[in-house]
Amino acid sequence: MASGNAQSSTSAATAEFQPNSPAARILRPSLNILLSSYVPTTAIVGASFLAAALLPRNVVLALAALALTPPALSLLTRLTGTNPAHNAAARTIRRGRFAATLKGDFVVFLIGLRGNAALPLTPAFKQAGDAFAAILRELDARPELGCLGTEQYVGDSDTGSRFMCVQYWRSSEHLARYAAASGSAHHGPWKWLMKLGRESPELGFWHETFVVRDGDYESISVNCPPFHLCNARTAEVVPAHRNMATMKGRLGKGTGDAKSEWPEVLKRIKGRKQSWFGLSVPDLRFLFWSAVLEIKQQQSNLKT
């Protein structure tokens, strides 16, 4: 998502995380997400100044201590390793570099909302959030619909509150069939949104659809839990080394093995006198990162 402070909304039940299951990415209740992500800083600052002006000093200090205690305790338990939610989330992280592939064509579907009203917590935004939660629960419970996985992001900016959902589908036919199904969790909210869009600019909504041909994509995740394509149903997740070590290799346009490209680099720099030892900056950068990858791979091999 374009917002710099966007946060991935993951399930609170991280202890029950199951790789390659979209259940691990079901949207939290929309009101909780909005409250945790969209409470404007200006409102908090304004309330603080108002309290300082109207209330006795001791009361203001007590309110400040009360407000700071929960985040301070959360930070302390994280640092001491006694925060259950943080520990459960940490256990889902896969150390190392991994690439994901899907057999055949598939579809990447982006859909989102943006609040255009002055206040982010509008009834329409909450209603839309509740609808998205119901849709995602249905897609997770019914894999035959063709949805392979989802990820959600929320954030805000000077231009409004935002929500985006990234979805992977088996085909555009599966996606179109679900969108048109009259008995789906999507149908009612879609009709409501169409009506709202004609009557008011309070809520903006959009979607984009990308048909991805077999082999015309690549993915890489480093020290991440299974998410996005690595968490899609039927995805094959493999260590990203050897022929999967580079973007060119993952796209099937080269061996992907950084070492195999060294002779070509040495051939290009032969006879050069204008740079350090005949090496240009791109050549130096390539050799440096190739060496780093090789060292990391050797360390990984020793551990396994």
Side-chain angles (χ1 to χ4, degrees):
M1 187 173 177
S3 175
N5 60 341
Q7 304 169 4
S8 176
S9 62
T10 58
S11 170
T14 48
E16 300 177 3
F17 187 96
Q18 296 180 0
N20 293 326
S21 169
R25 290 290 175 265
I26 287 298
L27 191 67
R28 291 181 296 170
S30 59
L31 182 59
N32 291 340
I33 291 181
L34 293 171
L35 289 175
S36 64
S37 304
Y38 294 128
V39 175
T41 304
T42 51
I44 298 174
V45 173
S48 301
F49 277 113
L50 186 63
L54 300 178
L55 299 176
R57 181 178 179 182
N58 291 341
V59 175
V60 173
L61 291 175
L63 290 175
L66 186 64
L68 292 173
T69 297
L73 288 176
S74 176
L75 177 61
L76 181 63
T77 55
R78 283 171 177 253
L79 293 175
T80 58
T82 56
N83 187 305
H86 182 260
N87 294 343
R91 286 194 294 270
T92 68
I93 294 175
R94 286 191 296 206
R95 294 288 302 273
R97 306 172 75 249
F98 293 90
T101 60
L102 277 172
K103 292 183 178 179
D105 300 346
F106 63 95
V107 167
V108 179
F109 181 64
L110 309 181
I111 185 168
L113 301 167
R114 55 169 292 117
N116 297 325
L119 296 177
L121 294 176
T122 64
F125 207 114
K126 181 186 181 301
Q127 185 173 345
D130 291 337
F132 264 106
I135 290 169
L136 295 176
R137 283 194 294 268
E138 180 176 62
L139 293 177
D140 176 57
R142 299 182 58 191
E144 72 276 7
L145 294 174
C147 183
L148 303 178
T150 64
E151 291 284 340
Q152 297 82 47
Y153 295 87
V154 291
D156 57 7
S157 69
D158 293 337
T159 59
S161 306
R162 302 178 182 182
F163 164 78
M164 183 178 76
C165 180
V166 182
Q167 300 180 3
Y168 300 93
W169 287 79
R170 185 65 277 174
S171 70
S172 57
E173 289 78 15
H174 282 91
L175 176 59
R177 192 180 305 122
Y178 177 73
S182 59
S184 69
H186 165 269
H187 188 70
W190 173 74
K191 293 177 64 177
W192 168 74
L193 274 176
M194 293 298 104
K195 183 175 183 294
L196 180 66
R198 290 190 296 268
E199 297 175 350
S200 170
E202 173 186 351
L203 192 65
F205 46 94
W206 58 272
H207 78 251
E208 297 175 355
T209 307
F210 304 89
V211 178
V212 183
R213 300 305 177 191
D214 188 16
D216 286 346
Y217 66 94
E218 63 90 28
S219 77
I220 184 73
S221 63
V222 183
N223 296 334
C224 293
F227 77 143
H228 278 286
L229 198 59
C230 285
N231 195 49
R233 288 187 176 103
T234 73
E236 181 183 2
V237 181
V238 298
H241 59 77
R242 299 186 183 278
N243 65 317
M244 302 290 278
T246 65
M247 183 178 71
K248 181 187 288 187
R250 292 189 294 274
L251 285 170
K253 298 180 180 179
T255 63
D257 189 350
K259 290 191 298 182
S260 67
E261 299 182 21
W262 290 3
E264 181 62 27
V265 176
L266 296 175
K267 183 179 179 181
R268 290 202 312 269
I269 65 177
K270 187 176 181 180
R272 290 186 185 176
K273 302 296 183 183
Q274 68 273 23
S275 57
W276 182 69
F277 287 112
L279 296 173
S280 67
V281 172
D283 291 335
L284 286 170
R285 188 183 299 116
F286 175 83
L287 292 173
F288 171 76
W289 287 112
S290 296
V292 170
L293 288 174
E294 179 63 19
I295 292 171
K296 291 291 186 182
Q297 185 58 46
Q298 293 297 331
Q299 292 175 341
S300 176
N301 291 341
L302 288 175
K303 289 179 181 179
T304 56

